[in-house]
């Protein structure tokens, strides 16, 4: 009997899924086997809980049943032909329970180890966010494919290869040592950011169910598990502040609304509060990295929109720091826009000309959108029309394309 995603969601939370999978897979590195065991436990819960009642500790019940299912596999004849059952290896969850006070229903939190395994150097970077969404959050391959606008077969193949690689290569479910943990944590944060960034590109007024919420959850989880790491809080701040603006990206008619014209009353106040909380923790950590700087840039913009007056010099200092620490084409284009606000559109255009190599800028839609605006402000409408036409050709979102088409029409009337 197979349970539906809705039934599973009613039984096991995001939090519980990752805890149980991490603990089960820690014994032998077999994420797929751990997922199968938990699925079997969930099916048993659907059959028995309506009759026997929900146990006092549902999470512990699921873990115990799933662990027993894994033990049956380890002791099976098929398993013995490949690897002998080892109490020392396969009873590791029991030792974790003992460390947790001897509670057989305890589910110690080993999700950071699971995240570290998903971000192992032997796992291809594009696969890491898919693996985290699957293993840590329990999203199916079909759900991930739909959320990330990827072919289902591609997602399934990548996940299968990654899980087999982890199981076969002996990638350990343990925290990396002090020398390698910073690099592994950076890979974890980049994978979470990548999942969110894909959704940001494809989402309209409201993010699609799936990736955005899961990326936010993962960012909070890592910040909780690494409370003294500034960049973990920086990523959580950046994602929550960005997601808070989704409701204001379209007006009541579905038209695109640029950030500077958004109604701050339509921002999600709870997400703004979470973002500000994590940004305060960045300062408490007494260090700042790329994500912390990007979050700070976000909050300065948002504060300026609320007050009706943006502190452009502060924004330029933040962009200069970001450029020195982690230069990107997107950051350079955004910095050019800030320079234009301080020193005029011609200065912004000069900065934009040096934002990156010609080939990359030629295919980067935000650069052409900004160029069109700066040329318009300089009174160079013919050149502005050419730039906005290029921006329209690179735009995939229908609402944003309509917005740019309206600008082009107005330029043609001038």
């Amino acid at each position: 009997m197979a349970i539906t995603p809705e039934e599973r969601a009613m039984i096991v939370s995001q939090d519980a899924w990752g805890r149980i999978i991490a603990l089960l897979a820690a014994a032998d590195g077999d994420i797929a086997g751990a997922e199968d065991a938990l699925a079997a436990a969930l099916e048993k819960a659907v059959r028995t809980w309506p009759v026997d009642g929900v146990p006092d500790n549902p999470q512990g019940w699921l873990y115990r049943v799933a662990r027993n299912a894994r033990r049956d596999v380890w002791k099976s004849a098929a398993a013995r032909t490949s690897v002998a059952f080892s109490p020392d290896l396969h009873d590791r969850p029991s030792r974790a329970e003992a460390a947790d006070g001897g509670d057989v229903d305890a589910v110690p939190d080993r999700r950071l180890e699971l995240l570290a395994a998903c971000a192992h150097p032997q796992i291809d970077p594009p696969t890491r966010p898919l693996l985290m969404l699957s293993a840590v959050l329990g999203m199916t391959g079909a759900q991930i494919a739909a959320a990330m606008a990827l072919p289902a077969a591609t997602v399934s193949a990548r996940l299968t290869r990654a899980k087999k690689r982890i199981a076969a290569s002996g990638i350990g479910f343990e925290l990396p040592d002090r020398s390698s943990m910073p690099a592994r944590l950076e890979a974890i944060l980049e994978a979470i950011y990548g999942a969110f960034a894909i959704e940001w590109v494809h989402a309209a007024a409201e993010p699609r169910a799936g990736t955005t919420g899961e990326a936010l959850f993962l960012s909070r989880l890592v910040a909780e598990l690494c409370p003294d790491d500034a960049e973990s809080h920086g990523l959580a701040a950046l994602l929550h502040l960005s997601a808070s603006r989704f409701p204001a990206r379209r007006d009541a008619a579905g038209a695109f609304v640029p950030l500077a014209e958004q109604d701050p009353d339509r921002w999600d106040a709870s997400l703004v509060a979470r973002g500000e909380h994590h940004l305060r923790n960045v300062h408490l950590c007494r260090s700042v990295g790329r994500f912390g700087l990007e979050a700070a840039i976000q909050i300065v913009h948002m504060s300026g929109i609320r007050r009706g007056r943006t502190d452009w010099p502060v924004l330029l200092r933040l962009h200069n720091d970001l450029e020195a620490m982690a230069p990107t084409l997107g950051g350079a284009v955004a910095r050019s826009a800030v320079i234009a606000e301080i020193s005029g559109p011609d200065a912004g255009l000069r900065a934009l000309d040096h934002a990156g190599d010609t080939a990359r800028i030629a295919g980067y839609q935000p650069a052409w959108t900004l160029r069109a605006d700066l040329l318009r402000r300089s009174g160079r409408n013919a050149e502005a029309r050419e730039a906005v036409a290029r921006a329209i050709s690179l735009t995939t979102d229908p609402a944003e394309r309509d917005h740019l088409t309206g600008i082009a029409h107005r330029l043609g009337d001038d």
Side-chain angles (χ1 to χ4, degrees):
M1 156 181 170
I3 66 171
T4 66
E6 291 75 17
E7 288 175 320
R8 188 178 74 181
M10 291 176 62
I11 297 171
V12 63
S13 65
Q14 290 177 319
D15 185 81
W17 178 276
R19 282 176 178 262
I20 295 171
I21 293 297
L23 198 56
L24 292 171
D28 61 356
D30 188 353
I31 294 176
E35 291 171 337
D36 290 343
L38 182 51
L42 290 167
E43 291 175 7
K44 185 173 182 178
V46 170
R47 293 195 307 269
T48 62
W49 288 7
V51 177
D52 300 336
V54 178
D56 293 336
N57 182 355
Q59 186 179 130
W61 186 96
L62 289 167
Y63 165 58
R64 189 173 65 253
V65 172
R67 181 197 61 192
N68 290 339
R70 288 300 293 148
R71 287 175 63 86
D72 290 342
V73 171
W74 293 326
K75 291 181 177 180
S76 69
R80 286 200 303 270
T81 62
S82 57
V83 59
F85 173 74
S86 167
D88 181 62
L89 172 65
H90 296 125
D91 279 340
R92 260 194 279 179
S94 297
R95 294 206 303 274
E97 292 161 0
D100 205 55
D103 182 359
V104 296
D105 285 336
V107 185
D109 196 339
R110 301 193 63 178
R111 287 173 293 178
L112 186 56
E113 289 96 322
L114 179 55
L115 285 165
C118 293
H120 194 277
Q122 293 187 33
I123 305 299
D124 293 334
T127 302
R128 292 169 185 167
L130 312 183
L131 191 55
M132 291 179 191
L133 294 173
S134 171
V136 184
L137 295 171
M139 291 181 71
T140 66
Q143 288 172 323
I144 296 171
M148 288 194 158
L150 291 172
T154 298
V155 171
S156 178
R158 288 181 182 178
L159 289 174
T160 299
R161 285 196 301 269
K163 291 172 184 178
K164 286 182 177 179
R165 180 177 290 274
I166 288 175
S169 62
I171 293 175
F173 276 72
E174 57 190 17
L175 287 179
D177 60 33
R178 185 181 297 274
S179 63
S180 60
M181 184 60 192
R184 195 76 63 86
L185 184 56
E186 180 180 356
I188 292 171
L189 298 179
E190 287 290 348
I192 297 170
Y193 178 77
F196 182 88
I198 290 172
E199 177 62 17
W200 179 265
V201 170
H202 292 286
E206 296 291 341
R208 293 166 297 179
T211 311
T212 296
E214 314 303 5
L216 292 174
F217 178 86
L218 282 173
S219 72
R220 293 195 300 271
L221 172 63
V222 176
E224 174 188 334
L225 297 175
C226 304
D228 298 324
D229 182 67
E231 272 294 77
S232 296
H233 287 292
L235 178 65
L238 174 62
L239 300 196
H240 283 80
L241 292 172
S242 298
S244 73
R245 304 198 312 273
F246 270 117
R249 294 177 76 188
R250 303 288 186 272
D251 64 15
F256 175 77
V257 182
L259 173 59
E261 300 172 19
Q262 288 179 8
D263 178 2
D265 290 338
R266 297 192 62 199
W267 295 338
D268 187 313
S270 64
L271 292 179
V272 173
R274 282 183 179 270
E276 291 173 338
H277 164 75
H278 285 291
L279 194 53
R280 286 193 293 271
N281 280 325
V282 171
H283 293 292
L284 291 175
C285 291
R286 298 185 180 277
S287 65
V288 65
R290 166 196 167 192
F291 294 128
L293 285 171
E294 291 189 17
I297 288 169
Q298 294 254 2
I299 204 66
V300 173
H301 272 297
M302 294 169 72
S303 298
I305 292 169
R306 284 198 187 98
R307 296 196 312 263
R309 180 176 54 83
T310 299
D311 194 334
W312 297 109
V314 166
L315 274 175
L316 182 57
R317 288 197 295 272
L318 289 170
H319 273 289
N320 288 342
D321 290 342
L322 183 61
E323 180 79 9
M325 179 179 294
T328 64
L329 178 57
V333 170
R335 179 175 175 273
S336 300
V338 174
I339 289 173
E341 295 297 332
I342 296 173
S343 303
D346 290 336
L349 285 167
R350 288 192 295 272
L352 188 58
D353 287 338
H354 295 89
D357 65 80
T358 304
R360 290 186 65 205
I361 290 181
Y364 190 58
Q365 188 263 14
W368 289 101
T369 301
L370 176 60
R371 182 176 295 277
D373 181 61
L374 297 182
L375 288 168
R376 177 193 61 80
R377 289 163 57 182
S378 292
R380 298 155 65 179
N381 284 5
E383 294 173 81
R385 284 193 293 271
E386 294 178 4
V388 79
R390 179 62 174 162
I392 291 170
S393 72
L394 294 169
T395 302
T396 57
D397 176 35
E400 190 171 356
R401 188 183 301 115
D402 289 343
H403 173 75
L404 291 171
T405 300
I407 292 175
H409 287 161
R410 290 190 293 275
L411 284 169
D413 295 336
D414 292 341

